[in-house]
Amino acid sequence: MDNNLKIIDLSITIEECTLEPFPVKIKRLDHVKGASYLGRDIIFSKHKPLLENLKNLFRYLCGTRKLTKNDFPNGEFISNERITASVHTGTHLDAPYHFGSCCERRPAKTIDQIPLEWCYGDGVVLNLSHKEPGDSILPGDIEEALTKIKYKIKPYDIVLIQTNADKYWGTKEYYFKFPGMSQEATAWLVERGVKIIGIDSLGFDRPFDYMLQAYFRTKDNKYLWPAHIYGRTKEYCHLERLANLDQIPKPYDFKVVCFPIKIKDVGASWIRPVAIIENNERR
């Protein structure tokens, strides 16, 4: 391990939790049960010819081709888990296809089509933790935050919006105690060449209730997921449910890595993003 590097985990844990909007189910096969179940699955396979499977069934029933925990060291085989979860579970990356079927007058990119070059780049943290729950983050907020850290956005920067809403993870407050990106603030960054914007809250836009109340009051659909919908106009991705942005020791001059799982034809993917800080002072 290079002592000049510090790696900060920017993700929350995927777990079986009632607070997930789409509940996660994990079916666990432990080491003892794995000896019976996985041993049986190895013997009988849908990829084998029927006749071979019938022969193996006969041998299995006779006990000549059968695995149990007693056949393995310490009575344990290998574990296995099956997960049922939305691609928007936990910390994840939303691709343009999530926002709409088309972007910039062509089919929107799915998560497996996202250029990997977008997902590794210079990171910038903008501290907007002073914004109140339900507030919209506006272009002026972005410009003010950049002025404070004396930084100018450049193409392919990965911009991380710090609201500190991740501190509510695991509580009901996580659903509504955060501000959201406005369409205008999103456009401000994307028009300057930013391809990935991240936020440390449940969603990229304002909390659901705030958007719905504004829509039902005005019947104007501009209040419904405006930052998401902007992704139909200009191509970009965003990260939702980041964590630990307050642990990054400097607002820029570090790298962000956020590669998505390669799942065909879907609009999002789980990720484990990290910030990589190089301590140049030690050299």
Side-chain angles (χ1 to χ4, degrees):
M1 179 68 182
D2 189 343
N3 291 328
N4 288 319
L5 293 181
K6 183 177 182 180
I7 298 178
I8 299 174
D9 187 354
L10 304 181
S11 66
I12 60 174
T13 304
I14 292 179
E15 56 188 304
E16 291 175 289
C17 165
T18 56
L19 289 173
E20 279 283 358
F22 305 101
V24 178
K25 295 181 181 179
I26 305 178
K27 185 176 181 180
R28 302 175 189 274
L29 193 63
D30 66 25
H31 303 89
V32 175
K33 290 182 180 178
S36 299
Y37 285 92
L38 292 182
R40 185 184 60 192
D41 288 346
I42 291 169
I43 292 169
F44 306 111
S45 171
K46 64 181 180 180
H47 302 295
K48 293 178 181 178
L50 176 60
L51 182 59
E52 186 176 346
N53 272 329
L54 289 174
K55 288 179 180 179
N56 286 335
L57 174 61
F58 177 77
R59 293 167 183 160
Y60 180 84
L61 294 173
C62 293
T64 60
R65 189 175 172 85
K66 187 174 184 178
L67 291 173
T68 71
K69 66 177 184 179
N70 297 324
D71 295 304
F72 297 96
N74 302 319
E76 292 187 349
F77 189 37
I78 51 179
S79 69
N80 190 26
E81 295 80 33
R82 296 181 182 180
I83 299 177
T84 303
S86 163
V87 291
H88 298 275
T89 297
T91 308
H92 60 275
L93 178 68
D94 286 343
Y97 183 78
H98 175 54
F99 312 140
S101 59
C102 292
C103 177
E104 298 182 16
R105 298 184 179 181
R106 57 180 181 266
K109 285 184 175 67
T110 52
I111 201 70
D112 53 309
Q113 297 171 329
I114 297 302
L116 295 183
E117 290 79 8
W118 293 5
C119 305
Y120 174 81
D122 293 333
V124 184
V125 176
L126 301 183
N127 190 340
L128 294 166
S129 58
H130 61 281
K131 298 290 286 187
E132 294 293 327
D135 279 355
S136 289
I137 295 171
L138 303 171
D141 299 315
I142 300 294
E143 292 179 280
E144 182 180 358
L146 286 167
T147 299
K148 284 182 179 179
I149 63 174
K150 299 178 181 179
Y151 186 82
K152 184 178 180 180
I153 291 292
K154 66 182 187 302
Y156 299 102
D157 278 345
I158 298 177
V159 179
L160 310 176
I161 306 297
Q162 179 186 345
T163 71
N164 291 338
D166 59 310
K167 307 311 173 193
Y168 297 113
W169 169 244
T171 73
K172 292 181 180 178
E173 292 173 308
Y174 190 69
Y175 278 96
F176 60 86
K177 271 203 165 182
F178 61 91
M181 286 289 286
S182 66
Q183 186 173 102
E184 294 80 8
T186 304
W188 194 95
L189 289 168
V190 174
E191 287 168 3
R192 284 160 177 77
V194 173
K195 287 297 187 181
I196 293 184
I197 310 168
I199 198 164
D200 59 359
S201 56
L202 175 70
F204 196 72
D205 288 275
R206 296 194 300 157
F208 304 146
D209 285 349
Y210 287 92
M211 291 190 292
L212 293 176
Q213 288 173 17
Y215 173 69
F216 289 129
R217 184 179 67 250
T218 64
K219 298 299 181 183
D220 190 338
N221 62 14
K222 73 177 183 182
Y223 292 106
L224 297 176
W225 286 268
H228 277 72
I229 300 301
Y230 172 76
R232 300 177 183 180
T233 303
K234 291 290 267 186
E235 194 172 58
Y236 89 102
C237 300
H238 61 231
L239 299 161
E240 295 180 335
R241 304 205 206 173
L242 293 171
N244 305 323
L245 298 185
D246 60 331
Q247 294 184 23
I248 300 175
K250 47 189 176 181
Y252 56 90
D253 194 23
F254 63 92
K255 296 291 185 183
V256 173
V257 182
C258 54
F259 297 123
I261 304 297
K262 194 174 183 180
I263 310 173
K264 189 172 179 59
D265 296 338
V266 301
S269 171
W270 314 292
I271 57 167
R272 188 170 186 179
V274 298
I276 302 175
I277 293 91
E278 184 173 4
N279 190 348
N280 295 315
E281 295 176 0
R282 293 182 181 176
R283 297 194 168 186

